[in-house]
Amino acid sequence: KLKEHGCIEMEGGTEIDRAVCSTILGRTATNFYLDYRSPKQMMFGVNEARKLITTLLEDDSSGNAPTNEKELKELKPFHRPVRVDEVSLAWLLYAVANTHEFDELPVRHNEEHLNEALSEDLMWGADVSSVLNPDHGRSHVNLDVMADPHTKCFLLLQAYLEKAKLPISDYINDTRTVVDQIPRLLAAMYYIALDDTTIAGNFDLLCQFSRIRAIFATRTMVDADPLSQLSGFTNDAIRRLANGAKSRKKNMPSLWELRSQSRADSAALLKGLLKGQRFDVERMLDSVYATPLYSVEEAKVSHEVDKALGKSVGKLAITVEIQYENVKRGRSRDEDTPLTLTVLLGTRLQKSLLAHSTLSLPRRGEKASPSKKKLELKFDWAVANAGGGEEGGSMTLRFLMEDLRGLDTELVVPLS
């Protein structure tokens, strides 16, 4: 059974003396305490997610890639089309929900009817057909499907993110059981995706895992403005900001824009857009500036020949500066828990992953003394050059905040 589900490989010899080797699926099952059948399901989910994301990004004409010399040297916000975020979130959660890890999730007597009613109030319903084919609407789902524990799991995940009302108290405990397992199961899928970093599209796929973690950490959906996760930015305030920006033919101010400029400039911007409205702008500003601001002070590329491996190894030395503001309000209840900043380096053309790491950012610090963190990423020099494009080639460096939305950035690093 282990061989059938890809957890081991048998090599040579007879049944008595043949060698048994573990595979990435077997190691995933062991490292993340999974049912031996789940990793194979996860691998299918990962492969399909990569195809979906690649297709959607190819169809999107807006693009993110900096092209001029000024943009090459500057850290800029990293955005994704809402549809890319929604499809990747829906598909990966659906893949997780359908693993054997949730075979025993209880579906009690008559709960299929509760599940059916709940599905009508949620964004996707019982499956991903509506999000994958939005023009066709939702497909009819019979009660047998609603009685399936995996369907219930997918519905509970949606209800958790949407903060939807649950039909009975038992669903509260069931939701807790499901949600508590998601970090471990997403980490297992991420581990599988990392097995072959050279696959085209893996860079973009792995970025989506970080964005999904941020969605779970903040419980804000992909179409919600990231400002909504901060104190003081009520739905009414965000709506009035958007209307104010529209009337002035300006873009809605983003979290990154507000945090990147001085407090005085952000205060003037918010007060101008909210002119005549009674909102606590100082409270809004405190919640914005309670978040540390990171920037890349230096990104230096070098390479050398690894004699043991017989190939050129590239090195990217990064210095990240973290700036803080002294605020009275707006701090997180988890201020003693550091923020996680995932760092991913990928090729420009094939979008394959070159290197990855994480940085831990303290939530609190002193304005007068910014902290600095150094990081070195090693990568295959030949792969980077093959996927680097024209004019000497370059790589894409992305920073993804896993605890907050709206603070993801990217930088194009020249190879030459």
Side-chain angles (χ1 to χ4, degrees), residues 179-217:
V179 171
D180 285 349
Q181 297 192 59
I182 295 303
R184 173 176 61 90
L185 299 180
L186 285 178
M189 295 184 80
Y190 190 85
Y191 182 77
I192 291 171
L194 282 173
D195 182 53
D196 188 352
T197 59
T198 62
I199 297 176
N202 233 20
F203 179 47
D204 285 324
L205 168 66
L206 293 168
C207 288
Q208 291 307 115
F209 275 95
S210 292
R211 293 173 74 83
I212 289 172
R213 292 188 189 103
I215 287 170
F216 262 88

Side-chain angles (χ1 to χ4, degrees), residues 98-112:
N98 279 280
T99 63
H100 289 287
E101 303 308 303
F102 296 107
D103 286 353
E104 303 303 320
L105 182 68
V107 180
R108 304 169 189 88
H109 182 62
N110 280 336
E111 279 193 356
E112 65 270 24

Side-chain angles (χ1 to χ4, degrees), residues 59-282:
D59 292 342
D60 178 66
S61 59
S62 61
N64 284 310
T67 55
N68 61 52
E69 189 64 25
K70 182 179 179 181
E71 286 181 306
L72 286 173
K73 297 178 181 178
E74 293 182 354
L75 199 66
K76 76 178 195 101
F78 169 59
H79 299 295
R80 274 280 189 251
V82 171
R83 177 148 175 78
V84 175
D85 277 338
E86 182 181 16
V87 169
S88 57
L89 173 66
W91 176 261
L92 288 171
L93 291 185
Y94 187 66
V96 166
N98 279 280
T99 63
H100 289 287
E101 303 308 303
F102 296 107
D103 286 353
E104 303 303 320
L105 182 68
V107 180
R108 304 169 189 88
H109 182 62
N110 280 336
E111 279 193 356
E112 65 270 24
H113 300 286
L114 298 179
N115 292 338
E116 183 179 38
L118 179 61
S119 71
E120 295 297 324
D121 296 331
L122 299 175
M123 49 194 165
W124 304 318
D127 55 35
V128 292
S129 59
S130 63
V131 69
L132 295 182
N133 300 291
D135 295 336
H136 297 147
R138 296 191 182 187
S139 58
H140 174 72
V141 179
N142 61 46
L143 282 178
D144 289 339
V145 174
M146 291 298 178
D148 187 280
H150 305 98
T151 300
K152 180 179 178 180
C153 177
F154 187 52
L155 294 174
L156 292 178
L157 288 172
Q158 294 175 68
Y160 174 79
L161 292 177
E162 291 188 64
K163 301 176 185 176
K165 183 178 180 181
L166 297 173
I168 57 175
S169 59
D170 285 335
Y171 276 49
I172 298 174
N173 292 328
D174 294 339
T175 300
R176 189 177 297 114
T177 298
V178 168
V179 171
D180 285 349
Q181 297 192 59
I182 295 303
R184 173 176 61 90
L185 299 180
L186 285 178
M189 295 184 80
Y190 190 85
Y191 182 77
I192 291 171
L194 282 173
D195 182 53
D196 188 352
T197 59
T198 62
I199 297 176
N202 233 20
F203 179 47
D204 285 324
L205 168 66
L206 293 168
C207 288
Q208 291 307 115
F209 275 95
S210 292
R211 293 173 74 83
I212 289 172
R213 292 188 189 103
I215 287 170
F216 262 88
T218 60
R219 290 183 72 183
T220 57
M221 281 306 299
V222 294
D223 58 348
D225 192 301
L227 289 172
S228 64
Q229 68 196 319
L230 301 181
S231 176
F233 287 91
T234 62
N235 291 335
D236 185 36
I238 291 173
R239 180 175 58 82
R240 292 181 183 273
L241 282 171
N243 290 338
K246 185 178 180 180
S247 66
R248 296 187 177 200
K249 297 182 179 179
K250 293 183 177 181
N251 293 326
M252 170 76 175
S254 68
L255 173 55
W256 178 262
E257 177 187 356
L258 293 173
R259 184 61 184 88
S260 298
Q261 61 190 15
S262 70
R263 181 168 179 135
D265 288 342
S266 291
L269 176 59
L270 292 178
K271 289 176 181 177
L273 296 178
L274 294 170
K275 189 174 182 179
Q277 308 297 329
R278 299 183 64 180
F279 290 99
D280 191 344
V281 173
E282 289 304 313

